[in-house]
Amino acid sequence: MRRSLEMAQQANDAMCLGCTYRGLGEISIALGEREQARVCFSLSEQAFRQAGDRIAAEEVQQLAESSC
């Protein structure tokens, strides 16, 4: 996931950033790192909104609310 984040940042691709941050958030939840998960989910939601994907942004918001 770190490599995915690096590549998404280099490409400045909001959709890829949204997906990567969502994945990092899910990993953080699995590891019990709730604060880190909140940060990742927030960044994911922002990136999805920037990419124009309202549905993905809302899904990440719901995921954050239910797991953090």
Side-chain angles (χ1 to χ4, degrees), residues 5 9 16-26 40-41 43-44 47:
L5 180 58
Q9 288 172 332
C16 288
L17 283 167
C19 292
T20 300
Y21 280 123
R22 179 182 177 150
L24 288 168
E26 291 173 344
C40 290
F41 288 144
L43 291 170
S44 175

Side-chain angles (χ1 to χ4, degrees), residues 43-55:
L43 291 170
S44 175
E45 182 183 349
Q46 291 173 25
F48 282 133
R49 290 195 189 283
Q50 182 181 356
D53 192 334
R54 180 185 53 83
I55 293 172

Side-chain angles (χ1 to χ4, degrees), residues 11-41:
N12 197 26
D13 186 319
M15 184 61 70
C16 288
L17 283 167
C19 292
T20 300
Y21 280 123
R22 179 182 177 150
L24 288 168
E26 291 173 344
I27 290 168
S28 295
I29 287 296
L31 296 174
E33 299 171 353
R34 296 196 182 284
E35 185 57 37
Q36 182 62 33
R38 281 187 199 98
V39 170
C40 290
F41 288 144

